[in-house]
């Protein structure tokens, strides 16, 4: 009877962990916290040992998950196994015994295998399910720090982790308009970036690669030392994961040093990895069905604190998604005071059975992000709001992939408008100083701003604005002056500022030029006319049509057109001296403020700027002509002229 109960529990755990793993590895989303996953995994492992049974599909015997993407698949020459793990530093000392090892960060990104032949990057494949990975060679070529060529000419294969820094993660998330489209963590962002079908997107994400293991290097003797391998890889131009050489005597002190560095580490990590330096000894240990025996993972023993849940705060986003945030009595965790933790979605609120006054424990995932570990009370009394906390409009629960989320369905919800206003006033749009997102939120909440044109009538609320925190007479005058200056703008800036889906600053300039800088002509354009414009496909064409077929949008645009003046002048044929020419710009700028300024000049003269050098490129602009960058190398291979800024300016003067 006891065995049957254990078996039933095992089946339940395999199902729960399977769904969580599928969501995490295939879909880059989370159904449960790392803490909860580890707890359930350990429970399953204990039950398997007690019963002697390992069920089919158990995560303790499976490595990764099947791949679902359009990227090509390829089998690895040798399987990429998961690592056994421990949360006890003294277990690492026992594991090492009399041997020495290398202790390094366990980076939290996407594992990649790089292969070089004849000194050139030949192939890049993701870990996938450990047996079969996805071929992402084109994307790896645009990783921020992956060498395109190396001194070693024999075949080389190495493994490493592709990661995105926290600083880049926050920057990229800030640029994403839809709150529910924002990435939950750097790992999810990295996974989506590395597996893009368009490597121009990958290139913009600033993905970094850190080598952690050498698979083979033809003709090189490393004298049986993994440390020598890593040093050699560093000499070949690779960034190598930070590591410390350790022994039984100092490994626990090394773990403590890594732990102290976590808060300031810009790269996401979920623990450490310890591997024997002695290659032959490690190989002699063999492997289990799931784990290699030459290395072991160390996961931080999360510091947990008990506290009392005060309430659930529901935070409305710009696309209507309403996120639950747990607010609890302040506690000290990992050296800081915390009182809030994201609960992510309605499903997790229900799974934790949360309610006001519940006794909970909290921790910091990977020693950084506050999370709820357990709820001892499980009152399940939390009320899912039926009205939006911002506008008071109705809400609805939507379920997708078995995850419930709460949305405000009021199209006029003020929270949904903030991002639109933020884009409208941004530097590349109307360029209005003094209207930060926080200020816009205040103005929207106060009812001062309901549409774009209202921004230019704020003088009627002068007294109320002056009474707001952070506003004085001087800042108010500066804002009014900035608003007045912005009324003289360009059609492209205005078009971009409207926030039409798919219309970026570059597309806006191209469209304006194609429609002769005639706004009415553009907004009455047909699908066929839009699709004839360079860079405008059917999706963007449909987006333009949908926007301008709306009476409401047109009425709002008309009100704005009465306030602004376009400075565009239809360029003469003589001014289009770069017509038909394609440029690529790389490196730092000296004569221009930035690349965008150079790009704008080229486009104003009829030229086109792309992101990569191809046979269709006419010129590469790079002040460092001797650079060994991939763009310079490609240009030289194709016989494409490389111009400094000065040479480019001389070119257009001659033209």
């Amino acid at each position: 009877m006891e065995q049957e109960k254990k078996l039933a529990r095992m089946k339940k755990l395999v199902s729960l962990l399977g769904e969580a793993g599928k969501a995490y590895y295939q879909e880059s989303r989370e159904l449960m916290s790392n803490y909860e996953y580890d707890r359930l995994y350990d429970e399953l492992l204990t039950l398997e040992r007690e019963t002697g049974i390992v069920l089919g599909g158990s995560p303790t015997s499976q490595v990764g998950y099947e791949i679902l993407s359009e990227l090509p698949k390829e089998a690895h020459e040798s399987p990429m196994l998961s690592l056994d793990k421990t949360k006890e530093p003294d277990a690492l000392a026992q594991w090492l015994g009399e041997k020495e090892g290398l202790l390094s960060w366990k980076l939290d990104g996407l594992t990649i295998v790089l292969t070089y032949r004849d000194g050139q990057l030949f192939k890049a494949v993701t870990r996938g399910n450990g047996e079969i990975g996805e071929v992402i060679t084109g994307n790896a070529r645009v990783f921020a720090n992956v060498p395109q060529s190396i001194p070693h000419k024999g075949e080389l294969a190495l493994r490493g982790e592709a990661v995105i820094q926290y600083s880049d993660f926050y920057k990229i998330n800030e640029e994403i308009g839809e709150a529910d489209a924002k990435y939950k963590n750097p790992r999810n962002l990295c996974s989506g970036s590395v597996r893009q079908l368009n490597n121009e997107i990958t290139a913009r994400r600033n993905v970094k690669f850190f080598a952690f293991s050498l698979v083979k290097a033809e003709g090189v003797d490393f004298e049986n030392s993994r440390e020598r391998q890593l040093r050699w890889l560093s000499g070949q131009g690779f960034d190598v994961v930070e590591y410390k050489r350790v022994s039984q005597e100092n490994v626990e002190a090394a773990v403590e040093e890594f732990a102290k560095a976590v808060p300031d580490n810009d790269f996401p990590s979920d623990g450490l990895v310890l591997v024997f330096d002695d290659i032959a000894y490690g190989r002699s240990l063999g492997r289990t069905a799931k784990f290699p025996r030459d290395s072991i993972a160390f996961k931080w023993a999360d510091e947990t604190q008990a506290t009392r849940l005060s309430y659930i705060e529901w935070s409305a986003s710009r696309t209507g998604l309403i996120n639950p945030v747990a607010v609890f009595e302040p506690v000290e965790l990992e050296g800081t005071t915390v009182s809030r933790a994201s609960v992510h979605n309605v499903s997790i609120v229900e799974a934790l059975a949360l309610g006001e006054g519940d006794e909970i424990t909290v921790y910091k995932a990977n020693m950084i992000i506050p999370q709820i570990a357990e709820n001892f009370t499980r009152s399940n009394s939390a009320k899912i709001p039926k009205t939006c906390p911002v506008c008071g409009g109705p809400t609805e629960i939507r379920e997708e992939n078995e995850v419930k989320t709460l949305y405000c369905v009021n199209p006029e919800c003020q929270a949904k408008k903030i991002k639109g206003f933020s884009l409208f006033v941004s530097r590349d749009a109307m360029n209005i100083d003094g209207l930060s997102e926080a200020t816009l939120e205040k103005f929207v909440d106060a009812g001062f701003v309901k549409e774009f044109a209202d921004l230019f009538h704020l003088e009627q609320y002068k007294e109320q604005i002056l009474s707001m925190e952070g506003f004085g007479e001087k800042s108010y005058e500066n804002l009014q002056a900035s608003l007045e200056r912005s009324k003289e703008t360009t059609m492209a800036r205005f078009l971009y500022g409207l926030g039409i889906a798919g219309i970026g600053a570059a597309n806006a300039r191209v469209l304006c030029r194609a429609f002769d800088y005639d706004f009415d002509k553009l907004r009455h354009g047909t699908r066929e006319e839009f699709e004839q414009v360079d860079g405008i496909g059917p999706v963007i064409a449909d987006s333009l049509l949908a926007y301008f077929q709306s009476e409401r949008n047109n009425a709002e645009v008309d009100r704005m057109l009465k306030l602004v003046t376009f400075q565009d002048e239809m360029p003469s044929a003589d001014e289009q001296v770069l017509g038909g020419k394609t440029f690529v710009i790389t490196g730092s700028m000296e004569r221009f403020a930035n690349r965008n300024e150079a790009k704008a000049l080229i486009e104003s003269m009829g030229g086109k700027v792309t992101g990569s050098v191809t046979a269709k490129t006419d010129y590469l602009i790079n002040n460092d002509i001797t650079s060994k960058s991939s763009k310079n190398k490609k240009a030289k291979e194709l016989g494409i002229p490389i111009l400094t800024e000065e040479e480019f300016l001389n070119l257009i003067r001659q033209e």
Side-chain angles (χ1 to χ4, degrees), residues 68-100:
L68 297 175
S69 81
E70 298 177 30
L71 291 167
K73 316 294 192 301
E74 182 171 302
H76 295 294
E77 290 186 19
S78 58
M80 300 180 66
L81 303 176
S82 300
L83 297 180
D84 200 0
K85 66 179 185 291
T86 181
K87 291 188 176 182
E88 304 300 328
D90 59 353
L92 297 180
Q94 295 173 26
W95 184 85
L96 266 179
E98 299 303 315
K99 293 288 183 179
E100 290 192 331

Side-chain angles (χ1 to χ4, degrees), residues 367-386:
M367 302 174 71
I368 295 175
I369 304 168
Q371 301 280 312
I372 295 178
E374 294 183 80
N375 179 10
F376 297 112
T377 309
R378 299 188 68 82
S379 68
N380 201 28
S381 59
K383 303 296 184 185
I384 311 300
K386 297 186 183 301

